Amino acid sequence: MTFMSDVTAPAPVPPAASRIRPGAWAVVLAACTGQFLVVLDVSVVNVALPSMQADLGLSHGALQWVVNAYSIAFAGFMLLGGRAADIYGRKRMFLVGLGVFTAASLAGGLAQEGWQLLAARGAQGLGAAVLAPATLTILTAAVPEGPARTKAIATWMAVGAGGGAAGGLIGGVLTDAFSWRWVLLINVPVGALVLAAAALWITEGRAGDRRRIDLLGAVLVTAGLATAAYGIVQTEAEGWTAAATLVPLLSGVVLLAAFVLVEARTPVPLIPLRVFGVRAVSSANVSMFLMGSATFSMWYFMTVYAQNVLGYSPLQAGLALMPTSAAVIIGSKAAPRIMGRTGAKSLAVGGVLITAAGFGWQSTMGVDGSYLTAIMFPGVLMMAGAGLASTPLATLATSGAAAGDAGLVSGLVNTSRTMGGALGLAVLSTVAAARTAGSADPAEVTAGYAAAFRTACGVLLVGALVMLAWLPNHRTPRVRQEQAAKVKTQERV
């Protein structure tokens, strides 16, 4: 998984040599390592969740917050982090973000109570939100425009995708060889080394934008989504009509409404509401939210199913999901070429339907499921389809934005996906818990997971209908050029 951020690229400079200067490689390495850590920590904890639960006595509801606390804080403050880097300096924000991330990793690895772990994961997400936007701008500032910069950016993107794909395997190795604590503690020595390298090699830079940042907007949207997610989680134990459920749900709605009011009135909003007036932007973000609400939860449920039902060790679970991780990378890499022939809308719809087919297949899971039919093949379908759909949705959103909003919309797409995933995990975990009804019997637990996958399949089918009805028809430049050439040929004939 690769996160784009709300960043403003430095002014173009004359093209340089095709090779990255030796001194710039240290900056590229520091930026890529920071990006790797940020993306890795979205997925690395998944295989360690059962061990965390057993060691700290976490409830099923609290267990999902080990994932959600990071994701909600990360997505909610990511746009703010990009603006802060432009105003206060990219090197400064890189160091601050990495410092917070590293300290929070240490606190999480040493946690003795469940609430300490959840607080540390939230702080990790905040550090990641400050760190991630600065990594790309630092990299582009260090490498002149031209083939060298293209190579550096390709390295950065590959490292981000590799972080998401390697999370399960790295988490499994660390949990099996040491303990779950090392999936967090491993960030500490790596973070310390990168901090030292960044302090020595990265030069300060900013976009020259000295306007104030919309801290209130970031706090409101993050608090609103987190409070609403907490209310959804409460339905597992309290039901939908209990005060313990309704109060946080309604509070979340009020906070989100306040966020909209603030964004409409503040001179420099975190998310200018005018961007949602563009059909491509609004439809692509809603589509990404719906897709993320289903696909994000897949890693959580597949991991706990493999360990709690099929009896896999953390390392075996990480290895079992490697083909699934590879599928999302392959799908993402293949998407631009396919999109050149089919168009963005058709590929997005097709990718979501492939993902829905994988979720439908996974919902047939059983207590004695085999690896190929209960994990590998449906997992590959789910993530290959997600990889195919994500690129055209991001393309549609950014192609519909004004030139000055491109960075904002790129960050918004990833925020929509991550926030959709956090809320989707809360809803689907509640669905699974309602079906299980507190039973620890493997057959009942499996039935709960299957109900979550069926629900997610339904959400994806709704998402496909939304895309068909709302996404604009968009052809890539290559297709438009081919069509124009055909027209000219026909006119000459």
Side-chain angles (χ1 to χ4, degrees), residues 387-400:
L388 289 172
S390 295
T391 298
L393 287 176
T395 300
L396 282 169
T398 53
S399 67

Side-chain angles (χ1 to χ4, degrees), residues 200-225:
L200 291 172
W201 291 98
I202 295 176
T203 57
E204 187 57 278
R206 55 172 61 90
D209 185 351
R210 301 300 298 174
R211 297 177 296 176
R212 66 184 180 87
I213 58 177
D214 184 17
L215 179 61
L216 178 59
V219 171
L220 285 173
V221 69
T222 305
L225 289 166

Side-chain angles (χ1 to χ4, degrees), residues 376-470:
M376 180 177 166
F377 289 143
V380 166
L381 269 183
M382 285 186 274
M383 286 297 103
L388 289 172
S390 295
T391 298
L393 287 176
T395 300
L396 282 169
T398 53
S399 67
D405 293 330
L408 168 68
V409 172
S410 295
L412 185 60
V413 166
N414 284 279
T415 300
S416 297
R417 176 173 55 187
T418 308
M419 283 299 189
L423 291 177
L425 179 57
V427 171
L428 294 175
S429 294
T430 301
V431 169
R435 173 62 180 83
T436 303
S439 174
D441 179 70
E444 292 298 317
V445 171
T446 303
Y449 298 157
F453 278 104
R454 281 195 299 273
T455 304
C457 179
V459 170
L460 289 167
L461 292 176
V462 170
L465 293 176
V466 169
M467 293 178 196
L468 281 172
W470 196 4

Side-chain angles (χ1 to χ4, degrees), residues 338-350:
I338 300 173
M339 190 169 63
R341 300 190 177 278
T342 65
K345 179 176 179 177
S346 297
L347 181 58
V349 173

Side-chain angles (χ1 to χ4, degrees), residues 223-235:
L225 289 166
T227 304
Y230 176 78
I232 294 169
V233 172
Q234 287 296 96
T235 62

